[in-house]
Amino acid sequence: MQHRIIVLGAGYAGATVAGRLARRLRREEVAITLVNAEPDFVERVRMHQLAAGQDLKPRPFREMFAGTGVGLRLAKVTGVDVDRKTVAVIDANGAEELTYDTLVYALGSGWNAQDVPGTTEHADEIASRSGALRLRERLARLDAGQSVVVVGGGLTGLEAATEIAEARPDLDVALAARGGLGDWLSPKGREHLRKIFGKLGITVHEHAAVTGVEADRVTTADGKAIPAAVTVWTTGFAVHPIAKSTALEVTGTGQIVVDGTMRSVSHPDVYAVGDAAMVMGPGDKPLRMSCASGAPTAFQAAGAIAARLSGGKLPNVPIRYFNQCISLGRKQGLIQYVTADDRARQAVLVGRLAAVYKELICKGAAWAVANPTFGLPTRRHRVTREPAVANSAVKALV
């Protein structure tokens, strides 16, 4: 009987796990099913571009996984029973229950409204393709001179504000940040950021915690009202809620607690990757929710699953950061080099070259999903279910 592996979610992490497993285990011995609600791969790191009116290259999963042995199931996950080892899904034909031997949970995250009054009713998000497309329509209907406020001074907020301002210079674009503009960046990084924001005419409201959203404005903690015909909410991510409703051990925010191989500490037949997992990085700091964190967790999980099923050596993938890549419109960028635990170094790359660098990173991330072993030949192993062998010497660059 085939060993049944179900992967929930086909973002950067989930799709990579499925692809790597398909290339490392024999098809006749494993059945790999990738469950996802959409038929195309969503380049989440480009949602600000989609919202600003740009068209993205379609990436159908059936083409990406053609000939690999990965089975695609287009359905929405409605529940997981980790004690019965089943997944409840629903599609156009109705509800169904799938049974697994190994589960990879990669349902990721969505926008985080943070319980701020009026946010869910009046704000737009770009954490999903559907959200980015709704925002795209709203922006297209705005007349010249109308105001757009981006709430959140993190990477997503910076990219959204600059992308919209560059695409629609006729709009009055503002950014409301809880702290200072780019306050985690190096001095050179902050200087370049302010320079670009100034050139694009973006008004910056620093140390302005937004406490309410209305149809035509946002209000801050100090009582200030900022006009907003459209409000874009980018203040972090919230993990998918299903894990929290299961018997899995999760954190207070709903992330699944895993060991160094991305395996659940409470249910050893469940692995979690990407935003869904609570992973400790260098300096015992949790990895931030990002594509940069998701890829190495996917490599680690796929390697560990293959090793445990084939009796091979467990991988030891060092997870660390190298840089933060920020697009500032299509013509400008900022590459902030960081320490292993994601603290800013003095070195930065800015300008047109940085924009090209960021574009290459985005293209490379999408290419890696379709080519999870980077085009290198791999040997498919037999499923023996013998105990895997720990190997601290096996390393890979992330």
Side-chain angles (χ1 to χ4, degrees):
M1 184 177 179
Q2 288 179 306
H3 186 89
R4 297 161 298 184
I5 302 174
I6 293 180
V7 182
L8 304 182
Y12 290 97
T16 297
V17 171
R20 287 177 76 88
L21 286 173
R23 290 163 173 81
R24 293 190 174 192
L25 298 170
R26 296 194 176 187
R27 296 183 191 178
E28 63 271 22
E29 296 178 339
V30 295
I32 302 171
T33 303
L34 180 61
V35 182
N36 198 62
E38 297 190 63
D40 302 324
F41 176 67
V42 176
E43 291 186 84
R44 190 171 179 181
V45 296
R46 293 188 185 274
M47 289 301 96
H48 57 287
Q49 295 176 235
L50 185 63
Q54 298 164 45
D55 294 323
L56 304 182
K57 177 183 177 181
R59 299 180 184 275
F61 284 121
R62 296 202 181 280
E63 293 181 9
M64 295 175 71
F65 290 112
T68 64
V70 174
L72 179 63
R73 180 62 187 273
L74 295 179
K76 179 182 179 181
V77 179
T78 58
V80 176
D81 189 327
V82 292
D83 295 322
R84 295 176 52 240
K85 301 176 73 170
T86 60
V87 176
V89 301
I90 187 168
D91 59 16
N93 297 317
E96 188 178 349
E97 195 171 74
L98 310 177
T99 303
Y100 65 83
D101 297 303
T102 296
L103 179 70
V104 181
Y105 187 101
L107 290 179
S109 63
W111 73 314
N112 189 353
Q114 299 182 340
D115 297 323
V116 173
T119 303
T120 55
E121 296 86 356
H122 302 298
D124 285 278
E125 52 91 4
I126 55 172
S128 66
R129 177 159 58 185
S130 58
L133 287 173
R134 283 193 297 269
L135 175 58
R136 179 187 180 119
E137 293 179 358
R138 291 196 66 192
L139 292 174
R141 293 195 299 266
L142 291 183
D143 295 326
Q146 289 191 277
S147 56
V148 176
V149 175
V150 178
V151 181
L155 299 180
T156 305
L158 299 181
E159 294 192 325
T162 51
E163 201 75 49
I164 294 170
E166 182 183 85
R168 290 290 306 274
D170 59 319
L171 297 178
D172 181 9
V173 180
L175 177 82
R178 181 179 293 273
L181 180 64
D183 54 7
W184 74 93
L185 299 170
S186 66
K188 289 183 179 179
R190 293 195 298 273
E191 180 183 356
H192 184 70
L193 188 61
R194 290 188 182 279
K195 176 183 175 182
I196 299 304
F197 267 60
K199 284 186 175 181
L200 291 173
I202 302 171
T203 302
V204 180
H205 301 275
E206 299 181 85
H207 308 289
V210 173
T211 56
V213 180
E214 298 178 45
D216 61 351
R217 74 192 67 187
V218 300
T219 55
T220 61
D222 60 3
K224 182 179 181 180
I226 304 173
V230 170
T231 298
V232 186
W233 195 266
T234 70
T235 61
F237 303 106
V239 298
H240 197 287
I242 283 182
K244 205 168 186 178
S245 65
T246 70
L248 290 165
E249 183 175 337
V250 299
T251 65
T253 59
Q255 287 180 298
I256 299 171
V257 182
V258 298
D259 63 16
T261 65
M262 305 303 120
R263 184 163 68 169
S264 163
V265 298
S266 62
H267 292 75
D269 46 20
V270 176
Y271 291 74
V273 294
D275 292 354
M278 170 51 69
V279 183
M280 302 306 293
D284 283 333
K285 292 170 57 176
L287 298 185
R288 59 180 164 88
M289 294 184 185
S290 65
C291 178
S293 304
T297 65
F299 300 156
Q300 185 77 303
I305 292 169
R308 288 189 169 110
L309 290 178
S310 64
K313 294 179 180 180
L314 284 172
N316 177 25
V317 180
I319 298 178
R320 58 154 298 162
Y321 295 104
F322 292 96
N323 53 46
Q324 294 179 8
C325 303
I326 312 170
S327 64
L328 303 174
R330 295 298 85 207
K331 301 175 183 178
Q332 286 285 334
L334 169 60
I335 309 302
Q336 175 65 67
Y337 296 98
V338 298
T339 61
D341 62 350
D342 212 26
R343 290 176 291 113
R345 297 182 183 274
Q346 291 300 313
V348 295
L349 178 66
V350 299
R352 179 61 181 168
L353 186 58
V356 172
Y357 185 108
K358 172 64 188 290
E359 178 62 20
L360 290 175
I361 291 294
C362 292
K363 287 183 177 179
W367 179 87
V369 172
N371 301 272
T373 58
F374 306 110
L376 300 175
T378 58
R379 182 167 68 90
R380 289 186 170 90
H381 301 278
R382 297 189 62 88
V383 174
T384 64
R385 296 180 178 82
E386 295 178 0
V389 179
N391 180 16
S392 60
V394 179
K395 296 186 176 182
L397 287 177
V398 176

